[in-house]
Amino acid sequence: MKNRSLVSIDDFSTEEILRILDLTEEFEKEPTQKLLEGKVIATLFFEPSTRTRLSFESAINRLGGKIIGFSDSSSSSVSKGETLNDTIRMVDKYCDLIVMRHPIEGSARYASEISTVPVINAGDGANQHPTQTLLDLYSIRKTQGSLDNLNIFMVGDLKYGRTVHSLMMAMSRWNTTFNFIAPEELRMPDEFKIYLDNLGLKYYEHNDFTDIISRADIIYMTRVQKERFSDPIEYEKVKNVYVLRNSMLKNTKPNMRILHPLPRVNEIHQDVDINPKAYYFEQALNGVYTRQAIVCSLLGIK
Amino acid sequence: MSVSAIQNGTVIDHVPARNLFKVIQILGLDRIDNQITFGTNLESKKLGRKAIIKISGVFFEDEDINRIALVAPDAKLNIIKDYEVVEKKVVEVPDNIVGIAKCMNPKCITNFESVTTRFKVVSKKNVSLKCHYCEKITNQENMQII
């Protein structure tokens, strides 16, 4: 995978994805190494994303790499009107790899075509965020032992949620059963359901999940945002249906784990945090190892 | 209007009248020195009003002519040699479209910087294009030709 960019999860074959997950496992055992000594990595965050940026910077720092960059575009030359084309043509001379977050969709693909060094897409608007998908896959494999034959519950905003779309597409490479739990206005878009139909994968749609929660291997929670509703009354009606509470977890499978891309607002009640099935903070930690694996793969170090 | 027959070249028939100049632009006919005659707003049972273009001394490669598929999907080509039609061709929607259509996603990078648009054709019947950059779908109803 040396000198390749990672823009979309589809850029990697299933074998390549599994190779990244295996490598992530190695980094989890030994996260502090001198592998990136002498390397300079640019983190270009044209819009703020504290969590993703810190995760990348922690991953790189633990491997001894140096970081240059900016954390929002007001402190960069973009505020003076520089094009992305020019920014990339300059920055690629200064570094060995670029990590980029940008609000415009397709910006990462474009940057990867201009850049002479590999580009990692850390989110391009509502389009792709492949390192999140890889860390989700790692968290699922780690907690379930395998990616095969799992029952995945996706809960909340399934219409606009970039994270759930990418994870769904990625998990469709294995024999996954999906349960989509969302309010009427935020249901999984048809294009994704058609995709699953064509693959012959099973999926079920529900408005509520209290009765079926015992079947889940993974519950992937997302936030239902008030702004997504055209009618505020509709939001008031459903807002409590999509909140996970500890009392709901009684009859769940022993292997079941709860994932969330974070930040959480109120969709997982704090009383869930002490339940051993709550996995979202470990999931965030897995993000550091996953990013170490991705950076080292693209640089040809591992 | 009488349009004289050409000795050698290509006749493109069944072009929708409203897209005549787009076809001319896509094929770069406004930048060549060959003799070209065209007629527009001609009566057509199929299209209502059609246009026809006769280009002397030019023979198109399939991949070039297929670029007009988005604006003239029913176009028919007659290849003329020595005043005779030696071959007839129809236009086929290609697998990839480069630089002809505009991505309908207002948040796509191609609508912010001078990036040549690139699409994968995901459906040829009711033409539907997937943007190489933002991965969103542009279909016939919201398609704009650059």
Side-chain angles (χ1 to χ4, degrees), chain A residues 156-259:
Chain A
D157 179 357
L158 306 186
K159 185 173 179 186
Y160 300 100
R162 161 185 74 184
T163 318
V164 287
H165 296 160
S166 298
L167 181 61
M168 191 222 81
M169 296 291 278
M171 282 304 293
S172 70
R173 294 170 185 238
W174 291 274
N175 184 28
T176 307
T177 303
F178 296 96
N179 280 276
F180 301 135
I181 298 111
E184 207 56 45
E185 294 204 33
L186 300 177
R187 285 171 61 165
M188 185 64 82
D190 287 342
E191 54 183 291
F192 294 104
K193 290 187 269 181
I194 292 167
Y195 185 81
L196 293 178
D197 283 334
N198 290 338
L199 289 173
L201 289 177
K202 277 184 255 163
Y203 62 86
Y204 306 94
E205 295 186 274
H206 317 270
N207 294 321
D208 190 357
F209 64 125
T210 34
D211 295 339
I212 49 168
I213 198 165
S214 62
R215 294 182 215 154
D217 294 308
I218 290 287
I219 297 180
Y220 199 98
M221 296 294 298
T222 63
R223 187 151 55 102
V224 173
Q225 289 169 278
K226 198 175 180 173
E227 312 84 78
R228 300 292 193 201
F229 286 81
S230 46
D231 181 358
I233 297 169
E234 281 304 308
Y235 171 76
E236 292 303 320
K237 272 195 234 163
V238 303
K239 68 175 183 188
N240 289 320
V241 179
Y242 304 97
V243 176
L244 192 65
R245 291 166 196 283
N246 203 22
S247 57
M248 296 162 71
L249 301 175
K250 264 182 222 137
N251 296 319
T252 52
K253 287 188 184 179
N255 62 298
M256 192 281 280
R257 292 294 178 273
I258 302 152
L259 303 186

Side-chain angles (χ1 to χ4, degrees), chain A residues 45-47 73 101-107 123-127, chain B residues 107:
Chain A
F45 279 65
F46 293 88
E47 67 176 359
S73 57
R101 170 90 162 208
H102 200 291
I104 306 288
E105 292 155 27
S107 55
D124 60 328
N127 187 29
Chain B
K107 289 191 71 186

Side-chain angles (χ1 to χ4, degrees), chain A residues 39-290:
Chain A
K39 299 285 184 197
V40 176
I41 291 165
T43 54
L44 311 183
F45 279 65
F46 293 88
E47 67 176 359
S49 169
T50 312
R51 210 165 313 274
T52 305
R53 185 171 58 83
L54 293 184
S55 174
F56 266 108
E57 296 190 352
S58 169
I60 295 160
N61 276 315
R62 283 181 194 282
L63 297 178
K66 292 272 187 290
I67 293 158
I68 57 171
F70 48 84
S71 55
D72 83 85
S73 57
S74 64
S75 59
S76 84
S77 48
V78 177
S79 58
K80 298 175 191 156
E82 187 179 53
T83 61
L84 178 61
N85 176 70
D86 286 9
T87 307
I88 298 296
R89 277 179 201 279
M90 173 202 64
V91 171
D92 70 3
K93 312 284 183 295
Y94 300 163
C95 67
D96 301 292
L97 182 137
I98 293 172
V99 175
M100 187 177 105
R101 170 90 162 208
H102 200 291
I104 306 288
E105 292 155 27
S107 55
R109 179 73 63 198
Y110 178 52
S112 76
E113 290 172 351
I114 300 165
S115 175
T116 55
V117 300
V119 173
I120 297 176
N121 181 8
D124 60 328
N127 187 29
Q128 294 284 336
H129 190 7
T131 64
Q132 176 72 46
T133 310
L134 285 165
L135 81 89
D136 290 343
L137 290 176
Y138 182 73
S139 300
I140 294 171
R141 192 177 78 163
K142 192 186 165 197
T143 58
Q144 306 302 316
S146 147
L147 290 168
D148 268 316
N149 303 316
L150 296 174
N151 196 332
I152 307 236
F153 280 44
M154 294 179 158
V155 185
D157 179 357
L158 306 186
K159 185 173 179 186
Y160 300 100
R162 161 185 74 184
T163 318
V164 287
H165 296 160
S166 298
L167 181 61
M168 191 222 81
M169 296 291 278
M171 282 304 293
S172 70
R173 294 170 185 238
W174 291 274
N175 184 28
T176 307
T177 303
F178 296 96
N179 280 276
F180 301 135
I181 298 111
E184 207 56 45
E185 294 204 33
L186 300 177
R187 285 171 61 165
M188 185 64 82
D190 287 342
E191 54 183 291
F192 294 104
K193 290 187 269 181
I194 292 167
Y195 185 81
L196 293 178
D197 283 334
N198 290 338
L199 289 173
L201 289 177
K202 277 184 255 163
Y203 62 86
Y204 306 94
E205 295 186 274
H206 317 270
N207 294 321
D208 190 357
F209 64 125
T210 34
D211 295 339
I212 49 168
I213 198 165
S214 62
R215 294 182 215 154
D217 294 308
I218 290 287
I219 297 180
Y220 199 98
M221 296 294 298
T222 63
R223 187 151 55 102
V224 173
Q225 289 169 278
K226 198 175 180 173
E227 312 84 78
R228 300 292 193 201
F229 286 81
S230 46
D231 181 358
I233 297 169
E234 281 304 308
Y235 171 76
E236 292 303 320
K237 272 195 234 163
V238 303
K239 68 175 183 188
N240 289 320
V241 179
Y242 304 97
V243 176
L244 192 65
R245 291 166 196 283
N246 203 22
S247 57
M248 296 162 71
L249 301 175
K250 264 182 222 137
N251 296 319
T252 52
K253 287 188 184 179
N255 62 298
M256 192 281 280
R257 292 294 178 273
I258 302 152
L259 303 186
H260 190 298
L262 303 179
R264 145 181 78 171
V265 180
N266 60 352
E267 59 279 14
I268 302 177
H269 197 277
Q270 280 210 352
D271 69 6
V272 177
D273 294 1
I274 49 149
N275 193 309
K277 291 173 182 172
Y279 194 73
Y280 26 93
F281 294 115
E282 284 92 337
Q283 179 189 1
L285 173 60
N286 290 339
V288 174
Y289 311 135
T290 311

Side-chain angles (χ1 to χ4, degrees), chain A residues 8 83-85 103-107 109-110 113 124-128, chain B residues 105 107-110 112-115 118 130 132-137:
Chain A
S8 164
T83 61
L84 178 61
N85 176 70
I104 306 288
E105 292 155 27
S107 55
R109 179 73 63 198
Y110 178 52
E113 290 172 351
D124 60 328
N127 187 29
Q128 294 284 336
Chain B
N105 176 10
K107 289 191 71 186
C108 177
I109 185 75
T110 58
F112 283 85
E113 294 207 6
S114 60
V115 187
R118 285 171 63 186
K130 185 177 182 182
H132 166 75
Y133 292 99
C134 75
E135 306 184 23
K136 296 283 180 296
I137 302 287

